[in-house]
């Protein structure tokens, strides 16, 4: 599959009342790149993803997806899918219905929905769970349903927000295995995470966000072995000591 879906943020700011969450963020991600966003809680990682998805309006700056200015484009027209840390599944729906729900909302045919649901479920290893409801699944299985729901939309860009933070430690590996598998398909992926080892293994580039500002971006080897900013060094040392 050919790479598609470059991402660019230029001087993007976000304010909530008197509080500034993002301070003129500049970010450029190549089509097909697996980009990891690191930073302490409250640094603006989730806000960055939500702005790219169109779920938060910017207070200033511009956003481009695949070369198109989408700064004021509605979420459904951006060809971007976001996987949330809380799964965000409908408990009264089956797995198949949860995966297909966004496609139903945009008016796709039942046959097209079924084909997309089956393909997405197969890719994340939950084809045998399609008739179950979320309450019958483990946390790891629920998160794979959420990933499949995003995949079924065939987005240009997939945003993954702390997708293992709500999981028990023994379930983290199964979700990361799914992400590992997805990396090879050429889709642009942006992951906000605290999983340092996984970031080092899978990222094409790693970016450090602190107090709404990007302090540095580099290859995983350079980032983890030779961080240039003092705040990045402190963050990595604290994580290592934890």
């Amino acid at each position: 599959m050919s790479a598609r879906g470059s991402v660019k943020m230029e001087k993007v700011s976000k304010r909530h009342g008197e509080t500034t969450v993002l301070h003129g963020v500049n970010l450029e991600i190549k089509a097909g790149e697996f980009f990891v966003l690191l930073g302490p809680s409250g640094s603006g990682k989730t806000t960055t993803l939500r702005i790219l998805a169109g779920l938060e309006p910017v207070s200033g700056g511009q956003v481009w997806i695949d070369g198109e200015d989408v700064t004021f484009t509605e979420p459904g027209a951006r060809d971007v899918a976001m996987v949330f840390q809380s799964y965000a599944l409908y408990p009264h729906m089956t797995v198949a219905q949860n995966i297909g729900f966004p496609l139903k909302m945009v008016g796709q045919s039942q046959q097209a929905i079924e084909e997309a649901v089956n393909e997405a479920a197969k890719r994340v290893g939950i084809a045998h769970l399609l008739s179950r409801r979320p309450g019958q699944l483990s946390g790891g299985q629920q998160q794979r349903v959420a990933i499949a729901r995003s995949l079924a939309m065939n987005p240009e860009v997939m945003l993954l927000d702390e997708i293992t933070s709500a999981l028990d430690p023994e379930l983290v590996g199964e979700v990361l295995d799914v992400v590992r598998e997805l990396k090879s398909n050429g889709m642009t992926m942006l992951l906000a995470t605290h999983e340092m080892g996984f970031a080092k293994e899978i990222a094409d580039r790693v970016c450090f966000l602190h107090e709404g500002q990007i302090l540095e971006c580099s290859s995983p080897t350079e980032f983890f072995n030779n961080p240039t900013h003092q705040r990045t060094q402190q963050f990595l040392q604290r994580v290592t000591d934890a």
Side-chain angles (χ1 to χ4, degrees), residues 35-233:
F35 195 91
V36 171
L37 197 58
L38 298 178
S41 297
S43 60
K45 300 189 300 297
T46 295
T47 299
T48 299
L49 297 189
R50 288 179 63 84
I51 284 174
L52 287 174
L55 301 175
E56 292 266 3
V58 301
S59 300
Q62 290 177 283
V63 178
W64 284 270
I65 303 291
D66 219 18
E68 180 181 351
D69 187 342
V70 298
T71 308
F72 302 106
T73 301
E74 291 296 314
R78 290 195 180 203
D79 214 358
V80 173
M82 184 166 175
V83 182
F84 304 90
Q85 57 181 306
S86 61
Y87 321 141
L89 303 178
Y90 295 103
H92 63 286
M93 293 184 182
T94 65
V95 168
Q97 289 168 336
N98 267 284
I99 296 172
F101 185 71
L103 302 178
K104 183 179 180 180
M105 289 298 96
V106 296
Q108 291 206 17
S109 69
Q110 188 59 36
Q111 180 180 347
I113 292 173
E114 289 178 4
E115 290 175 355
V117 167
N118 289 333
E119 175 62 23
K122 182 179 178 181
R123 288 176 66 182
V124 302
I126 56 169
H128 60 299
L129 302 175
L130 289 175
S131 63
R132 297 190 188 180
R133 284 183 166 75
Q136 298 172 294
L137 307 178
S138 70
Q141 290 169 334
Q142 290 185 61
Q143 192 58 283
R144 281 190 279 164
V145 174
I147 294 171
R149 179 178 55 197
S150 291
L151 280 175
M153 299 168 65
N154 192 31
E156 291 193 1
V157 180
M158 182 174 285
L159 310 173
L160 308 167
D161 184 25
E162 300 283 5
I163 59 172
T164 60
S165 65
L167 299 177
D168 293 332
E170 65 268 22
L171 298 177
V172 169
E174 70 177 70
V175 172
L176 295 184
D177 283 344
V178 169
V179 176
R180 222 177 253 113
E181 181 68 23
L182 294 178
K183 181 185 178 182
S184 64
N185 76 354
M187 184 189 302
T188 307
M189 302 179 79
L190 176 54
L191 170 70
T193 186
H194 284 103
E195 299 286 341
M196 299 295 121
F198 187 63
K200 187 182 297 186
E201 170 201 340
I202 199 169
D204 294 314
R205 273 192 302 150
V206 179
C207 184
F208 182 67
L209 189 65
H210 177 65
E211 294 183 348
Q213 296 182 341
I214 291 178
L215 300 187
E216 61 181 295
C217 290
S218 60
S219 70
T221 300
E222 188 70 16
F223 183 88
F224 289 103
N225 294 340
N226 190 32
T228 59
H229 198 283
Q230 181 180 6
R231 184 63 189 88
T232 310
Q233 296 167 0

Side-chain angles (χ1 to χ4, degrees), residues 3-57:
R4 58 195 176 108
S6 60
V7 173
K8 184 178 180 181
M9 301 176 74
E10 188 172 73
K11 299 180 181 178
V12 169
S13 62
K14 178 62 182 179
R15 293 182 295 276
H16 292 296
E18 298 297 315
T19 304
T20 301
V21 182
L22 294 180
H23 300 263
V25 167
N26 293 307
L27 185 64
E28 194 158 358
I29 303 171
K30 299 174 184 176
E33 189 171 19
F34 196 108
F35 195 91
V36 171
L37 197 58
L38 298 178
S41 297
S43 60
K45 300 189 300 297
T46 295
T47 299
T48 299
L49 297 189
R50 288 179 63 84
I51 284 174
L52 287 174
L55 301 175
E56 292 266 3

